[in-house]
Amino acid sequence: MRLELVETAALIDGLWIEADRTFDVTNPADGAVIAQVADLGASETKVAIEAAHRAFPAWAARTAKDRGAILRRWSDLMLLHAEALARLMTAEQGKPLAESRGEVVYGAAFVDWFAEEAKRSYGHAIPTPDPSKRLVSIKQPVGVCAAIAPWNFPIAMITRKVGPALAAGCTVVVKPAAETPLCALAIARLAVEAGVPAGVLNIVTGKDSGAIGKALCDDARVRKLSFTGSTPVGKLLYAQCAGTMKKLSLELGGNAPFIVFDDADLEAAVDGAIASKYRNTGQTCVCANRLIVQAGIHDAFAARLTEKVAAMKVGAGTDEGVTIGPLINAKAMRKVGDLVSEAILSGAEALTGGGPDPLDEDRFYTPTVLVGVTPDMRIFQEEIFGPVAALVRFETEAEAIELANATPFGLASYFYSRDVGRCWRVAEAIEAGMVGINEGIISTEVAPFGGVKDSGLGREGASEGLDEYLETKYLCFGGVGG
Ligand code: SIN
């Protein structure tokens, strides 16, 4: 299949930069090399920061309406090229084509929404306590921002950072994941076509994430860093940013509880669990990780879930009807395999799946339902990031909340119940940044996405997501009289 919009050079200061060294981008479905991309490091990152620093004053000085018009053109171009972008995404990331198409729309929506929202970044007129003074607060762009993006949503996790940053008047240096740089470069090309000026959006591709990340953290001109990825890397970046006192957004790992109470609508709960658990082959930070199911509905839920999961089609994302693609790499295959094998050795039972898929045991994992999982198992404690539903049985509401909160993570959470009182109680008691109540898909550009505890800091999307790229400045006018 011929791919379109393939760029292999990095984008710095409006120029496409080739490099002596390149790295391979491979298709996770078959290991084929799709492209060889410029492999940049710390010194090129500095050049990108300089470009973003130079471009900042002019971009910040433009009106929000003017920036918004450019961003809307960018969003429109992404939608115009949606099919090409989706095919590129499936090629480098592996997700089923229908999901890639969905992500292009989701990704473009962040740009479109923030293009509008920046026009409403209001300050306040503050009632004065002193008649001789007048007090006002205004919002101003933070400055140069760094965005370090993951491989699981190669477009949306970039636009969720870059959309609000550019809309607010910031300039950005993006480091896309080494597994999925092609989508980043493709949308950057469309940004240039839309009229984003040189230096405002820079894309630094490279395999040495540590060196590029450190260069971004150490540079005092970078005033904010936004990262989506693992908790250990997030903590490292947090520490590295201390020296230059950057603003930080960290969207880190999760261990989402998905509670099903006896009074739940069984079919809705099964469908919600499938949508949440198996989206992107289980490789999202908000995937249901622990399915905590009340004793009275447990067996019926497990049986219906198993029936539907066993019918899922595994294969390359471009194949018709496929709902479960490959895992991103061999390390991911090993991790999922180990978690499941250990759980089974400790007494869990696979009702379907339970191992690598015969289609290609090095790349695909059969969608799995495990029952008999207990809190002492690693599969309960760690983020699985694969197509495995781990079911835990409980008796009382208090026990469900205790199980849900028995983790250092607190990103997404879900529960199903038809008791309105319980819905309020449980939603308030769960330690998480987001709660899906009778709903398995909660992500949208209009709502604040983010976590608590080890799941990170800050929010993306919604007006909160714009605030992350703005500073509040207080102006005190003295000598006014009165
Ligand atoms: C993520 O996995 O980090 C993001 C998922 C989403 O936006 O729904």
Side-chain angles (χ1 to χ4, degrees):
M1 179 190 32
R2 216 181 77 77
L3 295 170
E4 294 168 49
L5 291 178
V6 178
E7 285 292 345
T8 56
L11 177 66
I12 297 179
D13 206 8
L15 301 173
W16 294 97
I17 308 291
E18 306 280 356
D20 296 341
R21 278 173 315 159
T22 59
F23 62 96
D24 290 346
V25 180
T26 56
N27 185 334
D30 56 14
V33 175
I34 311 164
Q36 290 174 315
V37 169
D39 189 8
L40 306 186
S43 58
E44 293 92 347
T45 306
K46 279 230 159 297
V47 176
I49 296 169
E50 268 152 34
H53 186 63
R54 268 196 312 277
F56 173 66
W59 182 246
R62 290 169 88 147
T63 63
K65 183 175 177 185
D66 189 13
R67 290 192 298 263
I70 295 173
L71 291 177
R72 269 201 314 281
R73 270 202 300 279
W74 187 24
S75 163
D76 287 348
L77 282 171
M78 284 189 228
L79 296 178
L80 189 68
H81 294 281
E83 190 59 23
L85 290 172
R87 287 187 178 273
L88 201 54
M89 190 182 298
T90 293
E92 68 175 347
Q93 199 277 339
K95 65 180 68 179
L97 202 44
E99 289 195 43
S100 294
R101 291 181 180 126
E103 188 186 331
V104 175
V105 174
Y106 180 43
F110 284 105
V111 176
D112 183 59
W113 196 83
F114 282 108
E116 285 302 320
E117 185 65 6
K119 295 176 192 164
R120 292 178 276 278
S121 56
Y122 303 119
H124 293 296
I126 303 162
T128 183
D130 177 341
S132 73
K133 295 177 180 167
R134 297 294 183 273
L135 319 182
V136 170
S137 72
I138 59 170
K139 299 281 179 99
Q140 291 184 304
V142 166
V144 175
C145 298
I148 304 182
W151 50 262
N152 62 343
F153 288 85
I155 289 182
M157 293 307 99
I158 290 179
T159 56
R160 190 151 86 179
K161 301 175 191 312
V162 171
L166 298 196
C170 300
T171 55
V172 189
V173 178
V174 179
K175 160 70 177 80
E179 292 84 351
T180 55
L182 298 179
C183 281
L185 294 169
I187 61 169
R189 173 165 147 186
L190 298 177
V192 171
E193 201 178 318
V196 172
V200 169
L201 174 63
N202 306 276
I203 311 281
V204 176
T205 49
K207 265 200 102 68
D208 192 348
S209 306
I212 296 172
K214 181 140 183 0
L216 292 168
C217 291
D218 286 351
D219 199 307
R221 290 168 299 183
V222 176
R223 298 309 317 137
K224 176 182 170 91
L225 180 130
S226 177
F227 168 70
T228 298
S230 75
T231 295
V233 174
K235 287 185 176 178
L236 177 73
L237 294 169
Y238 199 171
Q240 286 181 350
C241 284
T244 51
M245 200 58 80
K246 294 188 205 319
K247 237 171 132 79
L248 274 170
S249 297
L250 299 172
E251 201 261 275
L252 309 178
N255 183 356
F258 186 106
I259 308 172
V260 184
F261 287 100
D262 283 348
D263 62 20
D265 175 331
L266 176 66
E267 278 306 312
V270 169
D271 288 346
I274 286 179
S276 169
K277 175 69 252 181
Y278 297 94
R279 173 175 173 231
N280 200 8
T281 311
Q283 302 173 110
T284 90
C285 300
V286 291
C287 276
N289 207 54
R290 297 165 295 151
L291 281 73
I292 301 172
V293 189
Q294 201 160 13
I297 199 171
H298 178 279
D299 292 355
F301 177 83
R304 190 77 179 112
L305 182 68
T306 301
E307 195 184 312
K308 291 201 166 183
V309 171
M312 286 177 163
K313 185 170 171 193
V314 178
T318 42
D319 290 353
E320 197 55 41
V322 160
T323 47
I324 297 289
L327 291 185
I328 190 70
N329 55 29
K331 191 171 160 214
M333 284 294 293
R334 263 196 312 278
K335 177 171 184 198
V336 175
D338 289 350
L339 288 175
V340 171
S341 316
E342 278 178 37
I344 290 173
L345 273 175
S346 308
E349 183 194 349
L351 297 185
T352 184
D357 199 83
L359 178 67
D360 181 341
E361 300 207 338
D362 294 328
R363 302 181 188 283
F364 295 87
Y365 200 90
T366 306
T368 296
V369 176
L370 284 184
V371 289
V373 170
T374 50
D376 55 317
M377 294 179 186
R378 209 154 65 86
I379 203 161
F380 179 94
Q381 295 156 8
E382 291 185 19
E383 191 173 30
I384 304 168
F385 243 59
V388 179
L391 270 64
V392 185
R393 190 188 286 263
F394 75 92
E395 301 286 341
T396 66
E397 184 180 307
E399 191 189 346
I401 291 166
E402 196 180 321
L403 284 166
N405 291 340
T407 169
F409 298 101
L411 189 59
S413 59
Y414 309 86
F415 68 88
Y416 277 69
S417 167
R418 282 180 289 194
D419 175 333
V420 74
R422 167 174 279 161
C423 286
W424 275 105
R425 281 193 305 277
V426 176
E428 287 172 357
I430 291 186
E431 296 165 358
M434 299 172 282
V435 190
I437 302 153
N438 296 316
E439 179 55 59
I441 295 290
I442 54 177
S443 306
T444 158
E445 73 281 7
V446 306
F449 186 108
V452 298
K453 302 185 351 193
D454 268 4
S455 290
L457 299 173
R459 294 293 179 268
E460 296 192 301
S463 56
E464 288 88 341
L466 183 65
D467 263 343
E468 302 275 342
Y469 295 90
L470 293 166
E471 291 287 7
T472 298
K473 186 183 275 177
Y474 157 51
L475 312 181
C476 177
F477 292 83
V480 176

